[in-house]
Structure formats: C-alpha cells, structure tokens
C-alpha cells in the first residue's frame, strides 16, 4: 500500500482485536498491525456463546457463513430455547423453573474454532505479529507525529492510532490511565487523578470459575439422555452457579461452574488467576448438587480454575489517539454471556468510524470521542446487568434470596422474569441505531 490513510496498531489478538482487524480491512487504505503477546493466536479450549445482536454484526462483516460451518445456527426468526433455568443445588434432583426463548437462540462456539475462522478472514492489508507483548507507548500531542510502541523483546513500532484489545489485564489501559492521571495532576486536580487511577488495575469479583468440557459420547453413556446433550442450561445455587451447553456441533458439552464470595468483590487477589484444578476440587465445591451435574463432572478429564476479574467503570474508553475495546475497556462478569459480544460491538462501531472516508490522522481524536460517547454507556450498562444476573443466579439479589419460608416457587418465578426482562436487549435490539448515530455524529448531522 503506497500511502495508507491511517496506520492502526491493534494490541491483542483475542476476539475483539481480530474482529476489529477484519472489520478495518474492508477499507483498502488502512494499514493494520495486530500485535499478540502469545507465541501463537490461541484461544482457551472453552465455549463462547453469541446472542443474535452480535451475530448480526458477524453477518454484516461477512463472517457468519464460515462460522456457521462449525456450529448449529438456529433459524433467525424462529423462537428457540436459549436457556433452561434450573435450581441445581439439590442432592436428589433439581427443579426446572423457567425457559428463556429467543429468536435465533444462543449460538455457541468452541473458542478455537471461532478464532481460526476469524483469522482466515484477515485481509492482506493486515499484518499479524505474534510474541509481541506491548510494554508501553508514548503519544505525542501533535497528530502529525506517530505513537511509539515498545515491546517486551526490545523492539519498537509506530502507528497513528493504538487500539488496546489486550483483555482484562490490559497494558494499554494501565498506560492510558497513567497518562490521563498525569495530565490531571499537572492541572492540579489530584483528587480526580486518584479516582481515575482506580480503574488502572483489574479487580477480583470474588468469583472462581471452573471451566471444562466433557465429551458428549461419554456423557450419553454415563447418563443416557442427559439434558445438557440437548439444550443449554443455567443451573442456579446458593453462592454457586453453572452454565453449560453443547458446542462443536454437539460433540462436546462446555461447562463453567462458579463459586462466589460477594464479600470479596472488588478486592485484589494475591494468587495466580488461572490454575489447573483437580476434578476432586470441582466436585467438592458442588457436592450437594443434583445427580445430573455429578454425572457431567464424572465425564470431565481436566478442569481449570479462573479467578474472574472485572474493570471498575472507566470515565473514558479513549485518550486522544489511544482507544480501548472489549475486556480492556469493560471486562464484566460473564452472566449475560456478552463480554465477547461487547468486544464485537466495540469493534463494529470503531471500524465504521475509522473506515469512514472523512476520517484522517487529524480527525482521529474526534472519531475516538464519538466511539466513547456511543460505546461506553452501552457496554457499562451490560456490565451492570451482568452483575445483577450474577446476584439472581446465586440467590443473592435483595428480596429474591429464597431465604423466606413458604414462597420458593413464587420467588423462583420472580427471578426468572427479572432475568429474561434484563436479557431481552440481546435479541430484541440491534447495533444498527448505534452505528447510524455514530456516523451522523461524525458527519456533523447530530451532536
Ligand atoms: C467463564 C467465562 C465465560 C464466558 N462466556 C462468554 C459467553 O458465552 N459469551 C460472551 O460474549 N462472552 C463470554 N465471556 C467473556 C469473554 O470471554 C470476553 O469478554 C472476551 O473474550 C473478551 O475478548 P477480548 O478480545 O477483549 O480479550 P481477550 O480474549 O482477553 O484477548 C486479549 C488478547 O490480548 C493479548 N494480550 C494481552 N496482553 C497483551 C500485551 N501486553 N501485548 C500484546 N497482546 C496482549 C492476549 O494474549 C489475548 O490474546 C466469558 C468469560 C468467562 C470468564
């Protein structure tokens, strides 16, 4: 490419970074470098679910047809069971108390399949680099001067715009927040500077997630017609929860089982975040759960335990020509199955602003501000709903705890209705109005 209009560096090759790279490569005159810290682009061998709202974006980006080859995609307008709700913390058998229906349901993937297909769609204008861990950057105030990137291996690179898609532990976020706080201190506002600094490091949610997959064939043998071979389920329990669903065209069942200590929410955990967990630990935490859950555990070979971390809501996702997307911007609890969905939405709106022909190096800061105005409130709202879902799932939502005698069924129904109402945005709305608003703002047709 002789003279690219923009040179974009994407730090992080997870779902958000790669979808952004695909979306940006639809413009011929944008030069894209993706810098991934790991030795190869490799997603964790777990499942990820996508709701109709982000699925429509994947379709618009030309990814849906190939993604549909590795999963089952229900007809878009047909109501299907997205999730069955079941109280699972009962040793003699759980109770199903609700079914969440949605048009198109929850489309579930084995993460490595998803990543492989997105990678196949990267255009030639995009250069992926592995073993490139960003350590810091410097951002000159003049847009004519490039941003400088510094990597752990001692190499450097330059770009016009840096996108931090580097996940919950984001190095880009840490550097960006320091830049913002330094600016505030220089202007004498050390109180706001300290508040801003609270979002620099991720915080522990008090939750541990046991993530695993079980071969469907083994599960069928161990427990014929196990409910997880057919439909996705959320199992509810006091301070415990499990979401499980078939993936890889039904050959595996993916499970994420959670324990929570709400009193430890937003603390700092002085321990490794991800460790191998023996099956005995996993089963012990859920020892009083129903036989079908125990049967699933019996079929599991390995499990890992993840300390679930989040980001304290940021005051901005952008600082001049540095922009955060996905978990780097708004890592949230996974209880609306929407963290990856938000990363996809971030990528979609940002790419529309950057590929717009009027966007140049000199108007990048304006495009960044529009991205922040559209995406930050939306993603932070989903984070709030995800936390509310976590309280409901674990019977900790104020007034809906099942601790009161005699009204268990009534309480379960109230929980069910609240969860469904909170979730409906994921299939009843689309990102199209946000996209149109962003473009209208960019073109000066809207404030
Ligand atoms: C148990 C569990 C279940 C979930 N289920 C769902 C679900 O069903 N649906 C859903 O939508 N979401 C789900 N999520 C959330 C989802 O996994 C995340 O929101 C999503 O993966 C975020 O994508 P990302 O690209 O922003 O970050 P990541 O996937 O974390 O990718 C970040 C990338 O950046 C790289 N990187 C990190 N630091 C650097 C650096 N300094 N330099 C260069 N590269 C770097 C990393 O190696 C990584 O490849 C779940 C989360 C959990 C914990």
């Amino acid at each position: 490419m002789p003279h690219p209009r923009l040179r974009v560096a994407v730090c992080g090759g997870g779902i958000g970074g790669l979808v952004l790279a695909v979306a940006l490569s639809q413009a011929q005159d944008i030069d894209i470098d993706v810098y991934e810290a790991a030795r190869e682009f490799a997603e964790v061998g777990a499942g990820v679910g996508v709701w109709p709202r982000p699925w429509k974006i994947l379709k618009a980006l030309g990814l849906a047809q190939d993604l549909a080859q590795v999963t089952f995609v229900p007809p878009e307008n047909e109501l299907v069971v997205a999730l069955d709700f079941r109280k699972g913390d009962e040793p003699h058998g759980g109770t199903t108390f609700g079914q969440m229906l949605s048009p198109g349901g929850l489309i579930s993937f084995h993460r490595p399949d998803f990543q492989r297909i997105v990678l196949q769609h990267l255009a030639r204008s995009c250069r992926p680099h592995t073993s490139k861990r960003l350590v810091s950057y410097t951002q000159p105030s003049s847009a004519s001067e490039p941003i400088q990137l510094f990597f752990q291996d001692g190499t450097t690179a330059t770009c016009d715009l840096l996108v931090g898609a580097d996940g919950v532990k984001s190095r880009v976020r840490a550097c960006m927040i320091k830049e913002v706080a330094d600016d505030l201190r220089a202007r004498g506002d050390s109180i706001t500077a300290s508040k801003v600094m609270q979002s620099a490091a991720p915080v522990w949610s008090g939750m541990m997630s046991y993530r695993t997959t079980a071969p469907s064939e083994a599960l069928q043998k161990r427990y014929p017609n196990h409910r997880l071979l057919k439909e996705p389920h959320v199992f509810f329990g006091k301070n415990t929860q499990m979401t499980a669903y078939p993936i890889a065209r039904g050959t595996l069942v993916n499970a994420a089982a959670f324990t929570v200590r709400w009193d430890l929410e937003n603390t700092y955990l002085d321990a490794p975040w991800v460790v191998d967990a023996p099956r005995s630990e996993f089963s012990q935490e859920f020892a009083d759960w129903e036989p079908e859950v125990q049967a699933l555990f019996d079929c599991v070979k390995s499990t890992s335990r993840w300390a679930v971390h989040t980001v304290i809501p940021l005051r901005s996702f952008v600082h001049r020509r540095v922009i955060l997307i996905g978990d780097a911007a708004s890592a949230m609890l996974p209880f609306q199955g929407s963290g990856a969905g938000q990363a996809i939405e971030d990528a979609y709106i940002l790419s529309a602003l950057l590929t717009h022909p009027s966007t140049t190096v000199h108007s990048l800061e304006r495009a960044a501000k529009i991205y922040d105005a559209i995406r930050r409130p939306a993603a932070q709202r989903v984070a709030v709903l995800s936390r509310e879902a976590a309280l409901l799932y674990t019977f900790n939502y104020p007034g809906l705890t099942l601790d009161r005698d005699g009204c268990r069924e009534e309480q379960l129904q109230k929980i069910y209705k609240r969860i469904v109402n909170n979730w409906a945005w994921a299939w009843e709305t689309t990102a199209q109005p946000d996209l149109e608003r962003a473009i209208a703002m960019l073109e000066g047709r809207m404030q």
Side-chain angles (χ1 to χ4, degrees):
M1 192 194 307
H3 290 294
R5 176 165 50 103
L6 289 176
R7 293 182 310 133
V8 178
V10 181
C11 175
I15 291 176
L18 291 179
V19 171
L20 176 66
V22 168
L24 286 177
S25 50
Q26 298 189 342
Q28 303 294 313
D29 53 357
I30 298 185
D31 201 3
I32 310 147
D33 286 283
V34 180
Y35 297 105
E36 166 56 45
R39 269 188 300 194
E40 54 185 39
F41 292 96
E43 266 282 353
V44 53
V48 64
V50 176
W51 292 101
R53 184 170 158 126
W55 180 248
K56 288 192 175 97
I57 295 178
L58 296 171
K59 246 184 172 174
L61 296 177
L63 291 162
Q65 200 179 350
D66 286 347
L67 285 169
Q69 302 299 314
V70 293
T71 190
F72 173 66
V73 180
E76 202 167 285
N77 296 319
E78 198 175 293
L79 272 188
V80 292
V81 177
L83 286 167
D84 280 308
F85 292 165
R86 194 165 162 85
K87 188 173 179 304
D89 59 345
E90 298 177 12
H92 303 297
T95 321
T96 297
F97 63 91
Q99 219 172 37
M100 189 163 87
L101 301 172
S102 81
L106 175 69
I107 303 171
S108 311
F109 294 92
H110 197 212
R111 285 176 187 248
D113 289 342
F114 187 97
Q115 189 181 45
R116 180 171 45 79
I117 284 163
V118 179
L119 273 169
Q120 285 166 1
H121 280 253
L122 288 183
R124 270 155 135 223
S125 54
C126 173
R127 287 182 299 261
H129 311 264
T130 50
S131 300
K132 283 285 169 200
R133 180 174 291 281
L134 186 94
V135 180
S136 64
Y137 68 81
T138 54
Q139 175 177 203
S141 49
S142 159
S144 313
E145 289 178 59
I147 296 172
Q148 271 228 305
L149 310 177
F150 301 90
F151 298 98
Q152 198 174 41
D153 62 3
T155 58
T156 59
T158 58
C159 61
D160 300 322
L161 177 90
L162 169 63
V163 180
D166 49 346
V168 60
K169 287 185 186 173
S170 175
R171 192 66 209 139
V172 178
R173 185 183 65 241
C175 294
M176 183 177 113
I177 284 185
K178 187 171 175 308
E179 247 193 311
V180 173
D182 287 348
D183 285 357
L184 285 162
R185 278 194 206 97
R187 280 189 263 133
D189 190 354
S190 49
I191 294 176
T192 313
S194 330
K195 281 191 193 146
V196 163
M197 281 304 290
Q198 288 172 357
S199 308
V203 285
W204 183 38
S205 60
M207 279 187 198
M208 291 295 182
S209 171
Y210 293 90
R211 300 174 83 175
T212 190
T213 53
S216 302
E217 205 180 323
L219 187 59
Q220 170 66 17
K221 269 193 201 134
R222 168 72 184 74
Y223 199 111
N225 301 321
H226 194 288
R227 64 188 66 242
L228 285 172
L229 297 168
K230 286 168 266 158
E231 273 166 11
H233 279 72
V234 178
F235 296 85
F236 294 57
K238 184 72 190 176
N239 297 328
T240 42
Q241 187 269 353
M242 183 170 87
T243 302
Y245 46 81
I247 56 168
R249 290 196 157 265
T251 55
L252 295 171
V253 171
N254 176 72
F258 296 81
T259 59
V260 60
R261 286 273 313 269
W262 286 106
D263 56 320
L264 295 177
E265 190 183 20
N266 295 342
T267 57
Y268 294 94
L269 181 71
D270 185 17
W273 288 20
V274 183
V275 291
D276 289 336
R279 192 170 66 181
S280 53
E281 179 186 324
F282 182 34
S283 335
Q284 201 180 327
E285 292 281 4
F286 295 83
D288 293 334
W289 276 47
E290 60 171 305
E292 257 181 276
V293 172
Q294 305 302 336
L296 174 73
F297 295 167
D298 290 346
C299 299
V300 157
K301 283 207 178 70
S302 61
T303 56
S304 50
R305 172 162 46 80
W306 294 57
V308 181
H309 281 70
T310 60
V311 173
I312 304 259
L314 291 166
R315 293 160 67 98
S316 175
F317 283 2
V318 307
H319 183 52
R320 305 208 306 258
R321 288 179 289 143
V322 178
I323 296 178
L324 303 174
I325 68 168
D327 276 11
S330 60
M332 58 188 72
L333 294 178
F335 299 103
Q336 286 224 318
S338 289
Q342 291 307 296
I344 293 167
E345 290 203 33
D346 290 346
Y348 187 53
I349 300 294
L350 180 58
S351 66
L353 291 164
L354 297 179
T355 56
H356 192 281
S358 71
T359 302
T360 67
V361 169
H362 300 284
S363 61
L364 279 177
E365 289 192 27
R366 188 161 164 266
K369 280 188 184 147
I370 295 171
Y371 162 79
D372 181 58
I374 302 286
R375 283 303 305 147
R376 188 164 44 87
Q380 290 179 343
R381 170 80 185 135
V382 177
V384 168
L385 291 173
S386 297
R387 184 177 180 277
E388 187 167 320
L391 290 166
L392 289 160
Y393 282 172
T394 59
F395 302 130
N396 281 295
Y397 190 84
L400 293 176
T401 57
L402 298 197
D403 294 337
R404 285 157 54 205
D405 291 334
C407 54
R408 203 181 94 131
E409 276 313 311
E410 192 190 319
Q411 293 285 83
L412 286 174
Q413 284 312 307
K414 281 187 188 161
I415 289 173
Y416 161 68
K417 282 191 185 125
R418 192 165 189 109
I419 291 175
V420 176
N421 283 340
N422 282 354
W423 223 329
W425 67 270
W427 54 88
E428 283 182 359
T429 65
T430 75
Q432 202 53 28
D434 288 353
L435 181 80
E436 283 162 17
R437 214 153 44 92
I439 298 301
M441 286 164 88
L442 190 74
E443 292 176 351
R445 291 183 281 113
M446 192 190 251
Q447 280 289 307

